[in-house]
């Protein structure tokens, strides 16, 4: 249940949102929507978040119907956001992304990779896997003094507000189930579309780009024409 303060904040964000959206849509022919922007303010994108940190970020709860007409945007981008909502909520979000994209529009989703986490459970860990285990424990579970993959997996699933961690097959199925086609996997920062290249910031926020590269999966897909 929302508190009175949360309800007041939401009401304020809703009032600010209308004028910000109208201004953006009037001033941009190529329209790009970022969901869960946090502090990563992308130029020429409509940056949105469920908890706007400044007036440059517009309120958007991805679990609710988006306040846009169908076919409004050319691009949608979400980075380390979809894992913070349940699978069913994520599927709803992807349906809304599909609806607000123009035919031929593209979506890019970056999220933790379940396969990378499961891969830690091996007796022959690589140097990179051991580095990741040490990094997660030191950063998120300080003072534990046990560098074990079980603590890392529990931390990623439960300790950071995550509700569902995807592997590639599950996220690809979700994208395809709502109508997207041409699902393609990319490394962080890479894309065949210049508008979607180099837009991730999670590595900077995490403080280690190598660790971000290790844990992050990125899929792009297209709304058919």
């Amino acid at each position: 249940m929302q508190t009175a303060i949360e309800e007041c904040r939401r009401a304020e964000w809703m009032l600010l949102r209308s004028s910000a959206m109208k201004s953006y849509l009037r001033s941009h022919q190529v329209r790009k929507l970022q969901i869960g922007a946090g502090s990563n303010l992308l130029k020429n994108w409509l940056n949105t978040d469920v908890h706007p940190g400044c007036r440059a970020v517009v309120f958007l709860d991805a679990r609710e119907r988006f306040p846009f007409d169908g076919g409004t945007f050319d691009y949608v981008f979400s980075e380390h956001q979809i894992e913070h909502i349940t699978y069913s909520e994520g599927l709803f979000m992807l349906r809304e992304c599909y609806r607000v994209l123009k035919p031929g529009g593209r979506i890019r989703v970056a999220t933790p990779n379940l396969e990378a986490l499961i891969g830690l459970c091996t007796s022959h860990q690589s140097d990179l896997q051991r580095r990741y285990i040490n990094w997660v424990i030191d950063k998120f579970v300080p003072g534990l003094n046990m560098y074990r993959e079980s603590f890392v997996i529990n931390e990623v699933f439960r300790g950071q507000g995550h509700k569902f961690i995807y592997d590639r097959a599950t996220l690809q199925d979700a994208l395809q189930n709502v109508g997207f086609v041409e699902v393609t996997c990319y490394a962080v920062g890479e894309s065949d579309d210049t508008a979607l290249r180099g837009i991730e910031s999670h590595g900077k926020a995490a403080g280690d780009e190598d660790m971000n590269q290790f844990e992050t999966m990125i899929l792009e897909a297209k709304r058919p024409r």
Side-chain angles (χ1 to χ4, degrees), residues 34-43 45 47-58 77 79-81 199-207:
Q34 182 182 192
I35 303 171
S39 59
N40 182 28
L41 304 185
L42 295 174
K43 186 177 180 180
W45 288 70
N47 297 293
T48 71
D49 200 281
V50 70
H51 296 295
C54 64
R55 286 181 176 267
V57 179
V58 172
F77 171 55
E79 181 186 15
H80 283 258
Q81 172 271 333
I199 57 176
E200 281 83 33
S201 71
H202 191 257
K204 185 183 297 184

PDB file of all heavy atoms in Angstrom, residues 34-43 45 47-58 77 79-81 199-207:
ATOM      1  N   GLN A  34      13.638   5.572 -23.147  1.00  0.00           N
ATOM      2  CA  GLN A  34      14.415   4.778 -22.206  1.00  0.00           C
ATOM      3  C   GLN A  34      13.564   4.495 -20.969  1.00  0.00           C
ATOM      4  O   GLN A  34      13.038   5.413 -20.344  1.00  0.00           O
ATOM      5  CB  GLN A  34      15.714   5.474 -21.774  1.00  0.00           C
ATOM      6  CG  GLN A  34      16.512   4.578 -20.828  1.00  0.00           C
ATOM      7  CD  GLN A  34      17.795   5.175 -20.287  1.00  0.00           C
ATOM      8  OE1 GLN A  34      18.615   4.475 -19.692  1.00  0.00           O
ATOM      9  NE2 GLN A  34      18.006   6.469 -20.490  1.00  0.00           N
ATOM     10  N   ILE A  35      13.466   3.213 -20.603  1.00  0.00           N
ATOM     11  CA  ILE A  35      12.702   2.791 -19.433  1.00  0.00           C
ATOM     12  C   ILE A  35      13.681   2.453 -18.314  1.00  0.00           C
ATOM     13  O   ILE A  35      14.600   1.664 -18.509  1.00  0.00           O
ATOM     14  CB  ILE A  35      11.838   1.560 -19.767  1.00  0.00           C
ATOM     15  CG1 ILE A  35      10.895   1.858 -20.934  1.00  0.00           C
ATOM     16  CG2 ILE A  35      11.039   1.118 -18.538  1.00  0.00           C
ATOM     17  CD1 ILE A  35      10.185   0.640 -21.461  1.00  0.00           C
ATOM     18  N   GLY A  36      13.490   3.047 -17.150  1.00  0.00           N
ATOM     19  CA  GLY A  36      14.401   2.791 -16.035  1.00  0.00           C
ATOM     20  C   GLY A  36      15.722   3.514 -16.199  1.00  0.00           C
ATOM     21  O   GLY A  36      16.791   2.923 -16.036  1.00  0.00           O
ATOM     22  N   ALA A  37      15.663   4.793 -16.494  1.00  0.00           N
ATOM     23  CA  ALA A  37      16.874   5.557 -16.817  1.00  0.00           C
ATOM     24  C   ALA A  37      17.820   5.694 -15.633  1.00  0.00           C
ATOM     25  O   ALA A  37      19.044   5.739 -15.820  1.00  0.00           O
ATOM     26  CB  ALA A  37      16.488   6.945 -17.334  1.00  0.00           C
ATOM     27  N   GLY A  38      17.270   5.793 -14.409  1.00  0.00           N
ATOM     28  CA  GLY A  38      18.144   6.072 -13.267  1.00  0.00           C
ATOM     29  C   GLY A  38      18.878   7.388 -13.492  1.00  0.00           C
ATOM     30  O   GLY A  38      18.274   8.413 -13.794  1.00  0.00           O
ATOM     31  N   SER A  39      20.195   7.343 -13.400  1.00  0.00           N
ATOM     32  CA  SER A  39      21.001   8.549 -13.624  1.00  0.00           C
ATOM     33  C   SER A  39      21.613   8.595 -15.022  1.00  0.00           C
ATOM     34  O   SER A  39      22.372   9.504 -15.338  1.00  0.00           O
ATOM     35  CB  SER A  39      22.122   8.632 -12.585  1.00  0.00           C
ATOM     36  OG  SER A  39      22.956   7.494 -12.669  1.00  0.00           O
ATOM     37  N   ASN A  40      21.276   7.606 -15.864  1.00  0.00           N
ATOM     38  CA  ASN A  40      21.835   7.548 -17.223  1.00  0.00           C
ATOM     39  C   ASN A  40      20.958   8.359 -18.170  1.00  0.00           C
ATOM     40  O   ASN A  40      20.074   7.816 -18.845  1.00  0.00           O
ATOM     41  CB  ASN A  40      21.922   6.094 -17.694  1.00  0.00           C
ATOM     42  CG  ASN A  40      22.540   5.968 -19.085  1.00  0.00           C
ATOM     43  OD1 ASN A  40      23.339   6.806 -19.499  1.00  0.00           O
ATOM     44  ND2 ASN A  40      22.159   4.931 -19.815  1.00  0.00           N
ATOM     45  N   LEU A  41      21.185   9.659 -18.223  1.00  0.00           N
ATOM     46  CA  LEU A  41      20.370  10.533 -19.060  1.00  0.00           C
ATOM     47  C   LEU A  41      20.934  10.562 -20.474  1.00  0.00           C
ATOM     48  O   LEU A  41      22.002  11.127 -20.722  1.00  0.00           O
ATOM     49  CB  LEU A  41      20.339  11.943 -18.463  1.00  0.00           C
ATOM     50  CG  LEU A  41      19.845  12.033 -17.020  1.00  0.00           C
ATOM     51  CD1 LEU A  41      19.737  13.483 -16.583  1.00  0.00           C
ATOM     52  CD2 LEU A  41      18.515  11.314 -16.852  1.00  0.00           C
ATOM     53  N   LEU A  42      20.221   9.942 -21.383  1.00  0.00           N
ATOM     54  CA  LEU A  42      20.672   9.842 -22.770  1.00  0.00           C
ATOM     55  C   LEU A  42      20.146  11.019 -23.578  1.00  0.00           C
ATOM     56  O   LEU A  42      18.937  11.317 -23.551  1.00  0.00           O
ATOM     57  CB  LEU A  42      20.185   8.529 -23.386  1.00  0.00           C
ATOM     58  CG  LEU A  42      20.756   7.245 -22.767  1.00  0.00           C
ATOM     59  CD1 LEU A  42      20.072   6.021 -23.370  1.00  0.00           C
ATOM     60  CD2 LEU A  42      22.262   7.174 -22.980  1.00  0.00           C
ATOM     61  N   LYS A  43      21.037  11.664 -24.314  1.00  0.00           N
ATOM     62  CA  LYS A  43      20.661  12.804 -25.148  1.00  0.00           C
ATOM     63  C   LYS A  43      19.726  12.353 -26.258  1.00  0.00           C
ATOM     64  O   LYS A  43      19.951  11.326 -26.896  1.00  0.00           O
ATOM     65  CB  LYS A  43      21.916  13.453 -25.727  1.00  0.00           C
ATOM     66  CG  LYS A  43      21.646  14.740 -26.485  1.00  0.00           C
ATOM     67  CD  LYS A  43      22.942  15.363 -26.979  1.00  0.00           C
ATOM     68  CE  LYS A  43      22.678  16.659 -27.731  1.00  0.00           C
ATOM     69  NZ  LYS A  43      23.947  17.287 -28.215  1.00  0.00           N
ATOM     70  N   TRP A  45      16.842  11.199 -26.022  1.00  0.00           N
ATOM     71  CA  TRP A  45      15.925  10.151 -25.589  1.00  0.00           C
ATOM     72  C   TRP A  45      14.932  10.751 -24.600  1.00  0.00           C
ATOM     73  O   TRP A  45      15.252  11.711 -23.899  1.00  0.00           O
ATOM     74  CB  TRP A  45      16.663   9.014 -24.900  1.00  0.00           C
ATOM     75  CG  TRP A  45      17.483   8.139 -25.810  1.00  0.00           C
ATOM     76  CD1 TRP A  45      18.639   8.482 -26.457  1.00  0.00           C
ATOM     77  CD2 TRP A  45      17.214   6.780 -26.153  1.00  0.00           C
ATOM     78  NE1 TRP A  45      19.109   7.421 -27.185  1.00  0.00           N
ATOM     79  CE2 TRP A  45      18.257   6.354 -27.023  1.00  0.00           C
ATOM     80  CE3 TRP A  45      16.211   5.862 -25.808  1.00  0.00           C
ATOM     81  CZ2 TRP A  45      18.300   5.060 -27.552  1.00  0.00           C
ATOM     82  CZ3 TRP A  45      16.256   4.587 -26.335  1.00  0.00           C
ATOM     83  CH2 TRP A  45      17.295   4.200 -27.202  1.00  0.00           C
ATOM     84  N   ASN A  47      13.838  10.068 -21.304  1.00  0.00           N
ATOM     85  CA  ASN A  47      14.339   9.277 -20.182  1.00  0.00           C
ATOM     86  C   ASN A  47      13.255   9.158 -19.117  1.00  0.00           C
ATOM     87  O   ASN A  47      12.746  10.167 -18.628  1.00  0.00           O
ATOM     88  CB  ASN A  47      15.584   9.945 -19.600  1.00  0.00           C
ATOM     89  CG  ASN A  47      16.718  10.009 -20.596  1.00  0.00           C
ATOM     90  OD1 ASN A  47      17.279   8.996 -20.982  1.00  0.00           O
ATOM     91  ND2 ASN A  47      17.059  11.221 -21.044  1.00  0.00           N
ATOM     92  N   THR A  48      12.908   7.924 -18.754  1.00  0.00           N
ATOM     93  CA  THR A  48      11.830   7.701 -17.797  1.00  0.00           C
ATOM     94  C   THR A  48      12.290   6.765 -16.678  1.00  0.00           C
ATOM     95  O   THR A  48      13.233   5.994 -16.849  1.00  0.00           O
ATOM     96  CB  THR A  48      10.592   7.082 -18.480  1.00  0.00           C
ATOM     97  OG1 THR A  48      10.861   5.715 -18.835  1.00  0.00           O
ATOM     98  CG2 THR A  48      10.202   7.864 -19.724  1.00  0.00           C
ATOM     99  N   ASP A  49      11.583   6.842 -15.558  1.00  0.00           N
ATOM    100  CA  ASP A  49      11.903   5.957 -14.434  1.00  0.00           C
ATOM    101  C   ASP A  49      10.707   5.947 -13.485  1.00  0.00           C
ATOM    102  O   ASP A  49       9.938   6.919 -13.420  1.00  0.00           O
ATOM    103  CB  ASP A  49      13.151   6.456 -13.693  1.00  0.00           C
ATOM    104  CG  ASP A  49      13.797   5.361 -12.863  1.00  0.00           C
ATOM    105  OD1 ASP A  49      13.299   5.073 -11.763  1.00  0.00           O
ATOM    106  OD2 ASP A  49      14.794   4.786 -13.326  1.00  0.00           O
ATOM    107  N   VAL A  50      10.557   4.853 -12.745  1.00  0.00           N
ATOM    108  CA  VAL A  50       9.476   4.766 -11.766  1.00  0.00           C
ATOM    109  C   VAL A  50       9.762   5.664 -10.562  1.00  0.00           C
ATOM    110  O   VAL A  50       8.835   6.042  -9.829  1.00  0.00           O
ATOM    111  CB  VAL A  50       9.258   3.292 -11.334  1.00  0.00           C
ATOM    112  CG1 VAL A  50      10.424   2.785 -10.492  1.00  0.00           C
ATOM    113  CG2 VAL A  50       7.926   3.127 -10.613  1.00  0.00           C
ATOM    114  N   HIS A  51      11.024   6.024 -10.368  1.00  0.00           N
ATOM    115  CA  HIS A  51      11.410   6.966  -9.314  1.00  0.00           C
ATOM    116  C   HIS A  51      12.305   8.042  -9.920  1.00  0.00           C
ATOM    117  O   HIS A  51      13.542   7.971  -9.807  1.00  0.00           O
ATOM    118  CB  HIS A  51      12.141   6.251  -8.177  1.00  0.00           C
ATOM    119  CG  HIS A  51      11.303   5.251  -7.449  1.00  0.00           C
ATOM    120  ND1 HIS A  51      10.201   5.599  -6.702  1.00  0.00           N
ATOM    121  CD2 HIS A  51      11.399   3.892  -7.370  1.00  0.00           C
ATOM    122  CE1 HIS A  51       9.656   4.515  -6.179  1.00  0.00           C
ATOM    123  NE2 HIS A  51      10.357   3.466  -6.576  1.00  0.00           N
ATOM    124  N   PRO A  52      11.726   9.042 -10.574  1.00  0.00           N
ATOM    125  CA  PRO A  52      12.540  10.079 -11.219  1.00  0.00           C
ATOM    126  C   PRO A  52      13.444  10.783 -10.216  1.00  0.00           C
ATOM    127  O   PRO A  52      12.985  11.236  -9.164  1.00  0.00           O
ATOM    128  CB  PRO A  52      11.498  11.050 -11.788  1.00  0.00           C
ATOM    129  CG  PRO A  52      10.237  10.249 -11.886  1.00  0.00           C
ATOM    130  CD  PRO A  52      10.285   9.278 -10.754  1.00  0.00           C
ATOM    131  N   GLY A  53      14.727  10.863 -10.580  1.00  0.00           N
ATOM    132  CA  GLY A  53      15.681  11.508  -9.681  1.00  0.00           C
ATOM    133  C   GLY A  53      15.861  12.982  -9.943  1.00  0.00           C
ATOM    134  O   GLY A  53      16.475  13.684  -9.137  1.00  0.00           O
ATOM    135  N   CYS A  54      15.326  13.452 -11.065  1.00  0.00           N
ATOM    136  CA  CYS A  54      15.423  14.871 -11.412  1.00  0.00           C
ATOM    137  C   CYS A  54      14.350  15.186 -12.439  1.00  0.00           C
ATOM    138  O   CYS A  54      13.686  14.288 -12.975  1.00  0.00           O
ATOM    139  CB  CYS A  54      16.815  15.205 -11.958  1.00  0.00           C
ATOM    140  SG  CYS A  54      17.204  14.372 -13.514  1.00  0.00           S
ATOM    141  N   ARG A  55      14.190  16.472 -12.743  1.00  0.00           N
ATOM    142  CA  ARG A  55      13.128  16.886 -13.667  1.00  0.00           C
ATOM    143  C   ARG A  55      13.392  16.453 -15.102  1.00  0.00           C
ATOM    144  O   ARG A  55      12.487  16.474 -15.925  1.00  0.00           O
ATOM    145  CB  ARG A  55      12.932  18.403 -13.601  1.00  0.00           C
ATOM    146  CG  ARG A  55      12.225  18.858 -12.337  1.00  0.00           C
ATOM    147  CD  ARG A  55      12.026  20.355 -12.300  1.00  0.00           C
ATOM    148  NE  ARG A  55      11.263  20.769 -11.136  1.00  0.00           N
ATOM    149  CZ  ARG A  55       9.944  20.928 -11.116  1.00  0.00           C
ATOM    150  NH1 ARG A  55       9.245  20.726 -12.221  1.00  0.00           N
ATOM    151  NH2 ARG A  55       9.323  21.299 -10.005  1.00  0.00           N
ATOM    152  N   ALA A  56      14.630  16.064 -15.397  1.00  0.00           N
ATOM    153  CA  ALA A  56      14.941  15.591 -16.746  1.00  0.00           C
ATOM    154  C   ALA A  56      14.456  14.165 -16.981  1.00  0.00           C
ATOM    155  O   ALA A  56      14.485  13.675 -18.110  1.00  0.00           O
ATOM    156  CB  ALA A  56      16.445  15.671 -16.999  1.00  0.00           C
ATOM    157  N   VAL A  57      14.015  13.494 -15.916  1.00  0.00           N
ATOM    158  CA  VAL A  57      13.507  12.119 -16.018  1.00  0.00           C
ATOM    159  C   VAL A  57      12.004  12.134 -15.775  1.00  0.00           C
ATOM    160  O   VAL A  57      11.516  12.711 -14.804  1.00  0.00           O
ATOM    161  CB  VAL A  57      14.201  11.204 -14.991  1.00  0.00           C
ATOM    162  CG1 VAL A  57      13.654   9.790 -15.081  1.00  0.00           C
ATOM    163  CG2 VAL A  57      15.710  11.205 -15.214  1.00  0.00           C
ATOM    164  N   VAL A  58      11.269  11.497 -16.675  1.00  0.00           N
ATOM    165  CA  VAL A  58       9.809  11.483 -16.634  1.00  0.00           C
ATOM    166  C   VAL A  58       9.326  10.233 -15.907  1.00  0.00           C
ATOM    167  O   VAL A  58       9.887   9.146 -16.079  1.00  0.00           O
ATOM    168  CB  VAL A  58       9.242  11.530 -18.071  1.00  0.00           C
ATOM    169  CG1 VAL A  58       7.733  11.331 -18.082  1.00  0.00           C
ATOM    170  CG2 VAL A  58       9.604  12.847 -18.743  1.00  0.00           C
ATOM    171  N   PHE A  77      14.608   1.344 -25.056  1.00  0.00           N
ATOM    172  CA  PHE A  77      15.807   0.805 -24.417  1.00  0.00           C
ATOM    173  C   PHE A  77      15.551   0.621 -22.931  1.00  0.00           C
ATOM    174  O   PHE A  77      14.989   1.500 -22.267  1.00  0.00           O
ATOM    175  CB  PHE A  77      16.977   1.767 -24.629  1.00  0.00           C
ATOM    176  CG  PHE A  77      18.226   1.445 -23.841  1.00  0.00           C
ATOM    177  CD1 PHE A  77      18.826   0.201 -23.928  1.00  0.00           C
ATOM    178  CD2 PHE A  77      18.809   2.405 -23.020  1.00  0.00           C
ATOM    179  CE1 PHE A  77      19.979  -0.092 -23.203  1.00  0.00           C
ATOM    180  CE2 PHE A  77      19.962   2.129 -22.303  1.00  0.00           C
ATOM    181  CZ  PHE A  77      20.543   0.872 -22.397  1.00  0.00           C
ATOM    182  N   GLU A  79      17.803  -0.906 -19.499  1.00  0.00           N
ATOM    183  CA  GLU A  79      19.073  -1.451 -19.007  1.00  0.00           C
ATOM    184  C   GLU A  79      18.976  -1.790 -17.523  1.00  0.00           C
ATOM    185  O   GLU A  79      18.702  -0.921 -16.699  1.00  0.00           O
ATOM    186  CB  GLU A  79      20.208  -0.442 -19.210  1.00  0.00           C
ATOM    187  CG  GLU A  79      21.559  -0.983 -18.737  1.00  0.00           C
ATOM    188  CD  GLU A  79      22.668   0.066 -18.808  1.00  0.00           C
ATOM    189  OE1 GLU A  79      22.359   1.260 -18.941  1.00  0.00           O
ATOM    190  OE2 GLU A  79      23.847  -0.332 -18.720  1.00  0.00           O
ATOM    191  N   HIS A  80      19.174  -3.055 -17.194  1.00  0.00           N
ATOM    192  CA  HIS A  80      19.132  -3.526 -15.811  1.00  0.00           C
ATOM    193  C   HIS A  80      17.890  -2.985 -15.101  1.00  0.00           C
ATOM    194  O   HIS A  80      17.964  -2.424 -14.004  1.00  0.00           O
ATOM    195  CB  HIS A  80      20.420  -3.164 -15.081  1.00  0.00           C
ATOM    196  CG  HIS A  80      21.556  -4.075 -15.449  1.00  0.00           C
ATOM    197  ND1 HIS A  80      21.978  -5.099 -14.628  1.00  0.00           N
ATOM    198  CD2 HIS A  80      22.322  -4.155 -16.565  1.00  0.00           C
ATOM    199  CE1 HIS A  80      22.971  -5.755 -15.227  1.00  0.00           C
ATOM    200  NE2 HIS A  80      23.196  -5.202 -16.399  1.00  0.00           N
ATOM    201  N   GLN A  81      16.753  -3.186 -15.731  1.00  0.00           N
ATOM    202  CA  GLN A  81      15.460  -2.745 -15.189  1.00  0.00           C
ATOM    203  C   GLN A  81      14.443  -3.882 -15.152  1.00  0.00           C
ATOM    204  O   GLN A  81      13.749  -4.063 -14.152  1.00  0.00           O
ATOM    205  CB  GLN A  81      14.926  -1.580 -16.039  1.00  0.00           C
ATOM    206  CG  GLN A  81      13.499  -1.144 -15.706  1.00  0.00           C
ATOM    207  CD  GLN A  81      12.447  -1.893 -16.501  1.00  0.00           C
ATOM    208  OE1 GLN A  81      12.715  -2.354 -17.615  1.00  0.00           O
ATOM    209  NE2 GLN A  81      11.253  -2.033 -15.949  1.00  0.00           N
ATOM    210  N   ILE A 199      25.201   2.909 -25.474  1.00  0.00           N
ATOM    211  CA  ILE A 199      24.258   3.644 -24.627  1.00  0.00           C
ATOM    212  C   ILE A 199      24.169   3.083 -23.204  1.00  0.00           C
ATOM    213  O   ILE A 199      23.540   3.697 -22.352  1.00  0.00           O
ATOM    214  CB  ILE A 199      22.849   3.696 -25.259  1.00  0.00           C
ATOM    215  CG1 ILE A 199      22.309   2.286 -25.525  1.00  0.00           C
ATOM    216  CG2 ILE A 199      22.863   4.537 -26.529  1.00  0.00           C
ATOM    217  CD1 ILE A 199      20.877   2.283 -26.055  1.00  0.00           C
ATOM    218  N   GLU A 200      24.816   1.952 -22.939  1.00  0.00           N
ATOM    219  CA  GLU A 200      24.763   1.384 -21.587  1.00  0.00           C
ATOM    220  C   GLU A 200      25.638   2.182 -20.613  1.00  0.00           C
ATOM    221  O   GLU A 200      26.686   2.702 -20.993  1.00  0.00           O
ATOM    222  CB  GLU A 200      25.218  -0.074 -21.582  1.00  0.00           C
ATOM    223  CG  GLU A 200      24.160  -1.050 -22.053  1.00  0.00           C
ATOM    224  CD  GLU A 200      24.091  -1.152 -23.567  1.00  0.00           C
ATOM    225  OE1 GLU A 200      25.149  -1.025 -24.224  1.00  0.00           O
ATOM    226  OE2 GLU A 200      22.984  -1.343 -24.103  1.00  0.00           O
ATOM    227  N   SER A 201      25.192   2.218 -19.349  1.00  0.00           N
ATOM    228  CA  SER A 201      25.962   2.915 -18.318  1.00  0.00           C
ATOM    229  C   SER A 201      26.125   2.082 -17.050  1.00  0.00           C
ATOM    230  O   SER A 201      26.729   2.543 -16.081  1.00  0.00           O
ATOM    231  CB  SER A 201      25.275   4.237 -17.940  1.00  0.00           C
ATOM    232  OG  SER A 201      24.083   3.982 -17.213  1.00  0.00           O
ATOM    233  N   HIS A 202      25.595   0.873 -17.029  1.00  0.00           N
ATOM    234  CA  HIS A 202      25.604   0.087 -15.794  1.00  0.00           C
ATOM    235  C   HIS A 202      27.019  -0.229 -15.323  1.00  0.00           C
ATOM    236  O   HIS A 202      27.277  -0.307 -14.121  1.00  0.00           O
ATOM    237  CB  HIS A 202      24.815  -1.207 -15.990  1.00  0.00           C
ATOM    238  CG  HIS A 202      24.548  -1.947 -14.719  1.00  0.00           C
ATOM    239  ND1 HIS A 202      25.253  -3.066 -14.352  1.00  0.00           N
ATOM    240  CD2 HIS A 202      23.660  -1.717 -13.717  1.00  0.00           C
ATOM    241  CE1 HIS A 202      24.814  -3.503 -13.177  1.00  0.00           C
ATOM    242  NE2 HIS A 202      23.845  -2.701 -12.771  1.00  0.00           N
ATOM    243  N   GLY A 203      27.944  -0.428 -16.264  1.00  0.00           N
ATOM    244  CA  GLY A 203      29.330  -0.691 -15.888  1.00  0.00           C
ATOM    245  C   GLY A 203      29.934   0.464 -15.121  1.00  0.00           C
ATOM    246  O   GLY A 203      30.656   0.266 -14.140  1.00  0.00           O
ATOM    247  N   LYS A 204      29.609   1.680 -15.543  1.00  0.00           N
ATOM    248  CA  LYS A 204      30.104   2.863 -14.831  1.00  0.00           C
ATOM    249  C   LYS A 204      29.484   2.945 -13.447  1.00  0.00           C
ATOM    250  O   LYS A 204      30.161   3.223 -12.455  1.00  0.00           O
ATOM    251  CB  LYS A 204      29.775   4.119 -15.634  1.00  0.00           C
ATOM    252  CG  LYS A 204      30.334   5.398 -15.050  1.00  0.00           C
ATOM    253  CD  LYS A 204      29.912   6.608 -15.869  1.00  0.00           C
ATOM    254  CE  LYS A 204      30.471   6.552 -17.277  1.00  0.00           C
ATOM    255  NZ  LYS A 204      30.133   7.781 -18.058  1.00  0.00           N
ATOM    256  N   ALA A 205      28.168   2.664 -13.375  1.00  0.00           N
ATOM    257  CA  ALA A 205      27.491   2.710 -12.082  1.00  0.00           C
ATOM    258  C   ALA A 205      28.012   1.625 -11.147  1.00  0.00           C
ATOM    259  O   ALA A 205      28.159   1.834  -9.940  1.00  0.00           O
ATOM    260  CB  ALA A 205      25.982   2.556 -12.277  1.00  0.00           C
ATOM    261  N   ALA A 206      28.303   0.450 -11.715  1.00  0.00           N
ATOM    262  CA  ALA A 206      28.808  -0.663 -10.911  1.00  0.00           C
ATOM    263  C   ALA A 206      30.261  -0.463 -10.505  1.00  0.00           C
ATOM    264  O   ALA A 206      30.733  -1.067  -9.548  1.00  0.00           O
ATOM    265  CB  ALA A 206      28.662  -1.973 -11.683  1.00  0.00           C
ATOM    266  N   GLY A 207      30.971   0.354 -11.281  1.00  0.00           N
ATOM    267  CA  GLY A 207      32.361   0.634 -10.956  1.00  0.00           C
ATOM    268  C   GLY A 207      33.355  -0.329 -11.557  1.00  0.00           C
ATOM    269  O   GLY A 207      34.546  -0.269 -11.236  1.00  0.00           O
TER     270      GLY A 207
END
